[in-house]
Amino acid sequence: MSPDNDKDQPEPVYELIGEEAPGFHSDQGLGGGEGSSGAAGTPGAAGVALRRALKDCWASVRSLKFWLQSLTVFLLSWASAVLLVIVLVTGGTYTTDAHFWAYILTAALLVLGASLLAFLWGLSIRQTADDAGSTGLLHAWFFAAARGMAFTVASTVGLLILATASNAPAELAGVAAGVMVFESVVFAGIATGAAWLLPGRGGQLLAWSTTAFLLLGNVAAVIALLPAVRQYEPARVVLNVQRDDFGRIASYECSPEFLGIVEVFHTERVVWLGVSHPLLIFALFAGEASPGTASVSWLPAELETAGAGTQIPCVGSATAGANEQGETPVPLALTGIGTQLAMAGTLLLAGQAASRRREWLLSS
């Protein structure tokens, strides 16, 4: 080929790919929108959604609105705790000892606050054309959970200040922080999973129903089912009774001598429903973190007794065994955590499957 012909040939064009390409966006692969080259189900989709969620969360926590919401929830929790202490504990006055109770109740109420905030944040994220797919669900879930974790950090700082002022164990603030992080992930997952499973009012109804069960319905169900687990059984005479620091029967022996017929509530059959409540999960872990504090360990001790069903010893055909030693057959805290994870996971998986199906229908 002659040099003149070479001059007539067009110059080769090199197309830039990757992050240097014009029009490249970091949210590629997040749905079926324009500029999206990756499928929603690719292995890197979750990582891309997480990076985008963290970026959006960072922009959110720098806003005045976020901090006003966080401060409002913290102050409402603290004020409600103080009011409850004055009305229920100290009998109308706020003494020095009331600081400790206010600190505990504030931590418990903040667990509820973190749960509700993460739920509302997850439910308020609207699906767009780019976020209609399953990775849009992941982005919404990660975003709401990350905001809940940011709220947890701010609330933990406030709890540590209260712990120092009331000379209370700081371990409870750490327990509250851990439970708040967990509940933020769970309730954000419930909201986003339901919203992507049933877009519109149907998803909101499903999300609110699930949340209402975890915050109210589970405990109400236990109370409602108590008459169903009531029985009258024979009991024998109890010997060599030893009690723990809370007055519970720690060990005993059963005599062959018949005592009579007693009324028994088999709470071990229903108590697992109630321990999925965020407050009870916090109480169970708080009791383990501060076993020497009777005011903190009292409720977990009662829950363990109800879980073991050992309120009345030597009932029925019981012999010397695990139940008579007051041991809980199933860890209540793990039962509550497992119940919450199962509900949130079911909604997330169902929402992801529904999103992928809608993507497939739109693309076909």
Side-chain angles (χ1 to χ4, degrees):
M1 182 177 293
S2 64
D4 294 336
N5 292 335
D6 290 341
K7 293 180 181 179
D8 295 334
Q9 296 296 324
E11 291 292 332
V13 178
Y14 298 94
E15 180 181 358
L16 296 177
I17 61 175
E19 295 185 1
E20 298 179 356
F24 177 85
H25 299 288
S26 61
D27 57 350
Q28 285 188 359
L30 293 180
E34 296 179 0
S36 179
S37 59
T42 57
V48 174
L50 177 60
R51 289 194 296 270
R52 180 185 170 195
L54 292 178
K55 180 180 178 180
D56 292 343
C57 180
W58 175 245
S60 173
V61 298
R62 288 184 297 173
S63 65
L64 180 61
K65 180 180 179 180
F66 173 82
W67 290 107
L68 288 177
Q69 288 177 337
S70 301
L71 182 61
T72 300
V73 173
F74 184 87
L75 291 178
L76 284 176
S77 300
W78 176 77
S80 300
V82 171
L83 182 61
L84 288 173
V85 169
I86 292 175
V87 174
L88 301 178
V89 179
T90 62
T93 58
Y94 192 77
T95 61
T96 304
D97 296 336
H99 290 294
F100 177 74
W101 284 102
Y103 165 63
I104 296 176
L105 290 177
T106 301
L109 292 176
L110 284 174
V111 169
L112 283 182
S115 304
L116 286 173
L117 281 177
F119 172 78
L120 293 174
W121 285 331
L123 204 60
S124 64
I125 300 175
R126 304 300 180 188
Q127 296 186 37
T128 65
D130 289 341
D131 287 343
S134 56
T135 37
L137 180 149
L138 291 177
H139 166 258
W141 178 29
F142 294 155
F143 178 41
R147 293 183 76 181
M149 294 178 190
F151 170 79
T152 297
V153 173
S155 299
T156 303
V157 173
L159 285 176
L160 290 175
I161 295 175
L162 292 180
T164 303
S166 59
N167 196 24
E171 292 84 356
L172 293 180
V175 172
V179 177
M180 280 191 280
V181 168
F182 172 74
E183 299 298 347
S184 296
V185 173
V186 167
F187 281 88
I190 289 173
T192 54
W196 259 252
L197 175 61
L198 300 172
R201 293 186 177 179
Q204 292 188 358
L205 179 61
L206 177 59
W208 278 107
S209 300
T210 306
T211 300
F213 173 78
L214 290 177
L215 296 183
L216 181 62
N218 46 12
V219 176
V222 172
I223 297 174
L225 290 173
L226 282 180
V229 298
R230 180 180 62 182
Q231 294 182 3
Y232 291 91
E233 299 184 4
R236 290 170 289 159
V237 176
V238 185
L239 302 175
N240 300 327
V241 178
Q242 295 183 1
R243 298 182 180 272
D244 58 15
D245 296 336
F246 304 103
R248 299 178 304 166
I249 298 177
S251 63
Y252 55 88
E253 296 179 4
C254 296
S255 169
E257 182 180 355
F258 178 70
L259 177 64
I261 302 297
V262 297
E263 182 183 39
V264 181
F265 287 89
H266 286 280
T267 51
E268 72 277 6
R269 300 174 184 174
V270 296
V271 72
W272 62 271
L273 272 173
V275 293
S276 59
H277 196 288
L279 287 184
L280 296 186
I281 292 177
F282 167 72
L284 289 167
F285 281 112
E288 294 180 3
S290 301
T293 307
S295 57
V296 178
S297 302
W298 170 79
L299 180 57
E302 293 299 322
L303 289 173
E304 291 173 1
T305 301
T310 55
Q311 297 93 332
I312 301 178
C314 298
V315 172
S317 59
T319 57
N323 284 339
E324 294 191 353
Q325 300 303 320
E327 297 180 5
T328 305
V330 179
L332 294 181
L334 294 181
T335 301
I337 288 175
T339 302
Q340 288 194 6
L341 287 177
M343 298 179 73
T346 300
L347 288 175
L348 284 170
L349 291 175
Q352 186 181 44
S355 297
R356 287 180 175 177
R357 183 175 182 274
R358 286 192 292 267
E359 282 184 302
W360 179 80
L361 292 174
L362 290 174
S363 61
S364 61

